[in-house]
Amino acid sequence: MKRISQRDIARQLGVNVSTVSRALRGLDGVSPELKKQIEQLAEEGGYKPNPFAVSLRYDTTRTIGIVVPDVSFNHYAHIVKRIEAEARKAGYMSIITDSDDTIENELNCVELLMNMHVEGIIICPSQETTDFSLLLQLKQKKVPVVLFDRAPDVALSSVIINDAASARQATLSLLDSGARRIAFLGGSNQMKQTTDRKHGYLEALRERGIPIRTELVKCHHISFNSGLTDTMELLSLPEPPDAILATHGLLAVSALQAIGSRGLRIPDDIALIAYMSDWVSEMSHPRLSFVKQNLREIAAKAFKLLLDQMQGDDSVQRVVVNARLELRDSTK
């Protein structure tokens, strides 16, 4: 049933909407008798204030915007869920948008959120994003902005994991298990996340005196098809890899399929470590060794940075959340 509005109440009582508004807001200028009638009609009709009308009046919406590359992907879904919970505890609503991992949709998402007068934006940039001028302009206009997961070296607060250190640890673990031809399966080199994780991978090889083979490094678009093609090319090399470090869950799933299609056994023929969620690892066969990211902490710290900005903190902070290696059945 449609809820009654201030205009409906005013029409029934034959008074101005402004009179109804004053009565419902507890302001002076309305007789006690009329105020009682207005309140009674409001209660009977299930009246609720329109939050968007209130936001226009007071220039505050108590809403934040969230932009993610793919809201259906488990990694982002968990982070969004936790950000929304943190925001709710602080009295804010969340508007969640999905960029589909493209720069065009990302810009549309940001424009939509600004048109809805959100008080701040938490965003994981798309893998196509190289120009951050729009977000920097928003910051200059005192619109709070926080990046997470994929964050370049720009003057915006961000929350990331220890990308280089975690990739180094994962690569060293593969070397300790006997692997010598470790492939790196990553996203585009234009993403700092990719270059940082590749740096950790290369650092581990140098530490152990393992020659760097460029044909074992695949850094392309993050998608199932791209990961499948790259893994099939790796497995077709004269000297194929005996281990793979996959820096994204989607790339890990495509690597699993490619390895299975060649009749290879994990980890006997080839080992695999991935960046992914623990429950995805547990559902895989075999269970994948993975870099576990503290998604709750990432989300909580991202919202805290945004809240600080909304309360007047103009400092740029770069928060690093430590990830840890969890060994399962896909490594020796």
Side-chain angles (χ1 to χ4, degrees):
M1 185 174 64
K2 181 182 176 182
R3 287 173 175 166
I4 198 168
S5 67
Q6 290 189 14
R7 189 175 300 278
D8 296 330
I9 297 171
R11 187 182 300 113
Q12 289 188 43
L13 296 177
V15 298
N16 292 327
V17 176
S18 59
T19 301
V20 174
S21 176
R22 286 199 304 274
L24 294 175
R25 290 158 58 199
L27 301 179
D28 296 333
V30 184
S31 68
E33 295 80 6
L34 180 56
K35 184 173 183 295
K36 184 177 180 180
Q37 287 181 290
I38 291 172
E39 290 175 342
Q40 184 176 347
L41 280 176
E43 182 178 357
E44 292 173 353
Y47 169 77
K48 297 289 183 183
N50 185 328
F52 294 102
V54 173
S55 70
L56 291 174
R57 185 180 302 120
Y58 297 107
D59 196 27
T60 178
T61 61
R62 303 293 292 181
T63 60
I64 65 167
I66 305 172
V67 185
V68 292
D70 184 353
V71 75
S72 67
F73 193 67
N74 178 264
H75 175 82
Y76 299 120
H78 274 73
I79 292 177
V80 165
K81 182 179 178 65
R82 182 50 50 183
I83 292 175
E84 197 276 334
E86 293 293 323
R88 196 179 334 114
K89 285 193 296 186
Y92 286 85
M93 296 184 296
S94 301
I95 300 175
I96 301 162
T97 60
D98 188 324
S99 72
D100 199 26
D101 225 356
T102 68
I103 179 60
E104 181 181 3
N105 286 344
E106 180 180 298
L107 294 175
N108 289 337
C109 288
V110 172
E111 182 180 3
L112 169 69
L113 293 172
M114 293 310 301
N115 288 339
M116 298 186 75
H117 298 270
V118 296
E119 295 187 34
I121 296 176
I122 298 176
I123 177 171
C124 175
S126 80
Q127 59 180 311
E128 296 180 357
T129 305
T130 57
D131 183 357
F132 292 85
S133 56
L134 174 60
L135 298 180
L136 290 168
Q137 289 172 16
L138 293 181
K139 183 176 182 295
Q140 291 175 354
K141 295 177 181 178
K142 305 300 180 183
V143 177
V145 177
V146 173
L147 307 179
F148 76 92
D149 207 32
R150 305 168 181 170
D153 290 326
V154 294
L156 295 167
S157 290
S158 61
V159 180
I160 60 171
I161 68 164
N162 53 334
D163 288 307
S166 60
R168 173 183 170 274
Q169 182 188 15
T171 306
L172 288 174
S173 176
L174 290 169
L175 291 169
D176 289 340
S177 69
R180 289 298 178 266
R181 299 184 306 279
I182 304 173
F184 180 88
L185 199 58
S188 168
N189 280 315
Q190 69 186 14
M191 290 195 300
K192 190 174 186 302
Q193 182 188 77
T194 297
T195 58
D196 284 349
R197 292 178 183 179
K198 183 167 63 173
H199 175 77
Y201 156 81
L202 295 174
E203 186 178 42
L205 296 181
R206 293 189 187 100
E207 282 183 32
R208 298 296 176 84
I210 304 298
I212 295 171
R213 298 171 54 181
T214 56
E215 69 271 22
L216 293 181
V217 178
K218 298 287 189 180
C219 296
H220 297 116
H221 192 77
I222 296 175
S223 70
F224 179 84
N225 288 337
S226 178
L228 188 64
T229 299
D230 283 344
T231 306
M232 294 297 280
E233 289 179 359
L234 287 169
L235 299 178
S236 298
L237 290 171
E239 291 185 284
D242 53 12
I244 294 176
L245 174 60
T247 64
H248 191 280
L250 203 54
L251 299 177
V253 171
S254 58
L256 271 176
Q257 179 159 323
I259 292 168
S261 71
R262 291 295 181 91
L264 299 173
R265 297 167 301 165
I266 299 175
D268 298 325
D269 298 318
I270 184 168
L272 179 61
I273 292 180
Y275 282 73
M276 58 169 35
S277 299
D278 48 1
W279 78 270
V280 178
S281 166
E282 293 298 324
M283 292 179 63
S284 303
H285 183 72
R287 296 181 308 157
L288 293 182
S289 296
F290 66 103
V291 176
K292 182 178 178 62
Q293 304 172 65
N294 192 331
L295 305 185
R296 284 175 172 266
E297 187 177 357
I298 291 170
K301 289 188 180 299
F303 179 73
K304 179 62 167 57
L305 288 179
L306 191 75
L307 185 62
D308 288 345
Q309 289 185 44
M310 292 189 295
Q311 293 175 346
D313 184 356
D314 290 331
S315 65
V316 175
Q317 301 183 53
R318 192 170 184 85
V319 176
V320 178
V321 175
N322 287 328
R324 68 177 187 271
L325 181 61
E326 296 279 346
L327 297 180
R328 295 293 186 267
D329 303 330
S330 65
T331 50
K332 297 178 182 178

